[in-house]
Amino acid sequence: MRNCTQFYIDGRWTDPVTPATADVINPATEQVSGVISLGSEADVDLAVKAARCAFGSWSQSSVAERLDLLRAIQAGYAARMQELGEAVTEEMGAPLSLGTGFHVGLGAGHLQTAIEVLETFRFEEQKGPTLLVREPIGVCGLITPWNWPLNQVTVKVFPALATGCTTVLKPPQLAPYSAQILAEILDKAGVPAGVFNMVQGKGSVIGAALSRHPDVDMISFTGSEPVGVQISKDAADTVKRVGLELGGKSAWVILDDDQLAANVAAATSGMMVNAGQTCSAGSRLLVPNARLAEALAAARSAAETVTVGDPLSDVAMGPVVSKAQWNVVQDYIAKGLDEGAELIAGGLGRPEGIDRGYFCKPTVFRGTNDMVIAREEIFGPVLVIIGYDDMDDAVAIANDSPFGLGGYVSGQDRDTAIAIARRMRTGAIWVNGGFDFHAPFGGYKRSGNGREWGEHGFAEYLEVKSIIG
Ligand code: NAD
């Protein structure tokens, strides 16, 4: 049983002002795996006060001091990677190999990237008669989701610290363990009191209190669109900066060439990673109509080879995070069947042989872009394959979405792939794979307004001052 009943405020582990707790459920077993405290507005007040007090000195700290701190955190992080991965698996159900692998690796990567960017970042720049000075914005409320819990915390906390901001982190209620360990790492590394604070609890209480707080200068939020809208409204009265990293319904375009089957298979298994709970997942797979039968066969066989089961065993896919999320996924699968999408693989219910845990079947539909399953973010292992006639049609379908977070193009003709990528209205597009911690990540349209990762991630936390003359 894990215990997250204390908050980290002003450099100390602190009991909540008013005791209240909630169980945390292991999604693979449906058993209680631990307990967290549910904070109140009073806890948020204490954390914000500590962050405000610490801002005076931390905002004036030197780059060398901040680099020293980040390197000390890096040593602590490296020493606890296995534990962090196990925590991720227990809190949100990712297979252990994914938890200790990519989940933890993303956190390590954001930390290393923050160090690299800070080493060369130009906080000051003379432009003609004007001295441009980039200064930390102030006290930042950081609100994160459960799906890549370490990734989302680290991509906010490290750039915020590196730029001289002070922070109050509100981790996801469903997945609080990895954030708790990270807070222990920061504490041990010697983060000055008040520079980093953490309060656990309900979004509607802690998140809302941060969003409305008059002494918070900025909210950086990753999560769902409706909550992003609510935060923006809550933050409006105090004219905060609000960085929003929201959902997606990203298109994956497969070009018509002799790699088509292999590319469809890779995109299908890619969709099932993390049980489909990835904001930038390629959940709409666009294939040439002329090769539809071949594409469907490749997708079916790829989906059917995805192993599902106990995340502590050697499987490709664990459960989704919660009973509520399982119900959402089932409702969308039922909706797809109702609206006449053709079921290619998977379907309703748990995979055969599994009778507990929030496990879904890796599911593939052939549908059209006007179906609900192609328009709304499902956030589960459900792929919709849509046929296109030609490149213009592929681009039109890709762009016909309220979202614009990720995108993918796979095919041998790189010029065509890049031409399509240029025409897609979305924040990040992967052409035949690739990965870059320095590439900005964020959305067009209803996928948000922020840009995290690398140097752009620093800009989120900085004000720009002009000193003229
Ligand atoms: P969510 O919006 O329900 O919750 C996100 C966080 O906001 C949680 O910590 C939650 O407690 C908090 N919250 C809830 N209500 C709040 C309120 N009224 N005020 C302030 N905070 C509140 O999202 P989720 O279900 O945890 O995560 C899934 C969503 O996150 C998906 O839509 C996914 O696409 C999105 N996401 C986006 C990105 C990105 O980078 N764009 C990355 C990962 C996940």
Side-chain angles (χ1 to χ4, degrees):
M1 284 285 280
R2 294 176 188 258
N3 185 319
C4 300
T5 48
Q6 288 195 309
F7 304 140
Y8 188 71
I9 297 177
D10 206 13
R12 284 187 305 272
W13 290 99
T14 329
D15 289 327
V17 173
T18 310
T21 57
D23 289 339
V24 181
I25 305 296
N26 179 332
T29 62
E30 301 185 33
Q31 301 297 306
V32 175
S33 64
V35 64
I36 62 166
S37 280
L38 299 176
S40 63
E41 253 185 78
D43 299 302
V44 171
D45 277 342
L46 291 175
V48 171
K49 199 169 166 205
R52 175 57 60 201
C53 280
F55 183 69
S57 56
W58 188 243
S59 60
Q60 299 305 309
S61 60
S62 67
V63 166
E65 278 172 79
R66 301 204 292 275
L67 278 171
D68 283 350
L69 180 66
L70 289 173
R71 290 190 182 116
I73 295 170
Q74 200 169 35
Y77 190 97
R80 297 188 71 179
M81 300 237 285
Q82 178 69 23
E83 222 184 306
L84 281 162
E86 287 167 3
V88 169
T89 293
E90 194 164 332
E91 65 192 357
M92 55 72 67
L96 190 58
S97 56
L98 185 65
T100 55
F102 201 38
H103 274 272
V104 169
L106 282 165
H110 290 311
L111 180 47
Q112 174 60 26
T113 305
I115 291 171
E116 286 169 16
V117 173
L118 184 55
E119 278 168 343
T120 56
F121 194 81
R122 289 164 72 181
F123 285 95
E124 295 194 4
E125 200 180 339
Q126 188 72 41
K127 287 234 173 191
T130 303
L131 178 64
L132 281 185
V133 184
R134 296 184 177 85
E135 297 182 334
I137 189 167
V139 173
C140 301
L142 312 177
I143 304 175
T144 60
W146 46 262
N147 63 319
W148 288 92
L150 261 180
N151 172 61
Q152 281 121 11
V153 168
T154 55
V155 81
K156 296 185 192 306
V157 168
F158 296 132
L161 294 186
T163 49
C165 290
T166 58
T167 59
V168 179
L169 171 67
K170 187 267 182 257
Q173 189 184 336
L174 293 178
Y177 300 146
S178 51
Q180 180 86 7
I181 296 173
L182 194 76
E184 290 167 14
I185 293 170
L186 296 183
D187 177 48
K188 255 204 153 162
V191 174
V195 168
F196 168 81
N197 305 274
M198 183 183 73
V199 181
Q200 305 264 22
K202 288 184 188 297
S204 55
V205 177
I206 307 300
L210 281 170
S211 307
R212 293 184 192 133
H213 205 292
D215 223 9
V216 171
D217 300 289
M218 174 195 173
I219 296 287
S220 176
F221 170 74
T222 301
S224 61
E225 184 194 339
V227 173
V229 170
Q230 185 58 47
I231 286 175
S232 302
K233 289 179 180 166
D234 285 341
D237 286 338
T238 46
V239 198
K240 287 180 181 49
R241 182 182 296 174
V242 179
L244 298 176
E245 302 287 342
L246 309 178
K249 193 76 193 179
S250 302
W252 190 319
V253 180
I254 305 287
L255 301 188
D256 186 353
D257 60 34
D258 58 16
Q259 287 301 305
L260 177 133
N263 287 334
V264 167
T268 305
S269 20
M271 179 65 220
M272 309 308 166
V273 171
N274 218 37
Q277 302 162 117
T278 299
C279 51
S280 54
S283 50
R284 292 183 296 145
L285 187 62
L286 311 191
V287 303
N289 270 322
R291 311 263 310 263
L292 197 55
E294 194 183 339
L296 296 180
R300 175 183 293 118
S301 112
E304 286 175 353
T305 53
V306 172
T307 49
V308 186
D310 178 1
L312 295 175
S313 68
D314 183 20
V315 289
M317 201 177 102
V320 296
V321 71
S322 64
K323 174 88 175 148
Q325 192 63 23
W326 192 86
N327 287 334
V328 166
V329 174
Q330 299 304 311
D331 285 351
Y332 273 113
I333 295 174
K335 183 86 199 164
L337 295 169
D338 280 355
E339 61 188 346
E342 181 188 356
L343 187 65
I344 305 301
L348 287 167
R350 291 191 179 98
E352 228 153 88
I354 297 181
D355 55 12
R356 68 169 188 177
Y358 310 128
F359 295 92
C360 299
K361 295 178 186 166
T363 296
V364 178
F365 281 109
R366 184 183 75 84
T368 51
N369 202 46
D370 56 353
M371 290 178 170
V372 170
I373 55 167
R375 302 211 71 76
E376 297 182 8
E377 186 185 45
I378 298 175
F379 229 53
V382 183
L383 177 68
V384 187
I385 299 184
I386 300 164
Y388 68 81
D389 292 332
D390 54 23
M391 286 311 137
D392 286 344
D393 195 29
V395 170
I397 295 169
N399 287 339
D400 178 13
S401 170
F403 297 107
L405 186 58
Y408 305 79
V409 189
S410 295
Q412 288 164 311
D413 180 351
R414 188 173 157 77
D415 290 345
T416 302
I418 296 288
I420 291 173
R422 285 184 184 281
R423 293 172 66 191
M424 283 165 78
R425 300 279 301 158
T426 178
I429 301 165
W430 289 266
V431 174
N432 293 322
F435 194 85
D436 182 4
F437 275 108
H438 288 271
F441 184 90
Y444 283 30
K445 303 191 260 182
R446 293 205 192 168
S447 291
N449 58 16
R451 286 296 177 277
E452 298 190 300
W453 299 50
E455 199 175 302
H456 279 78
F458 273 41
E460 296 271 301
Y461 297 96
L462 293 167
E463 288 282 20
V464 178
K465 177 185 280 176
S466 300
I467 301 178
I468 306 153

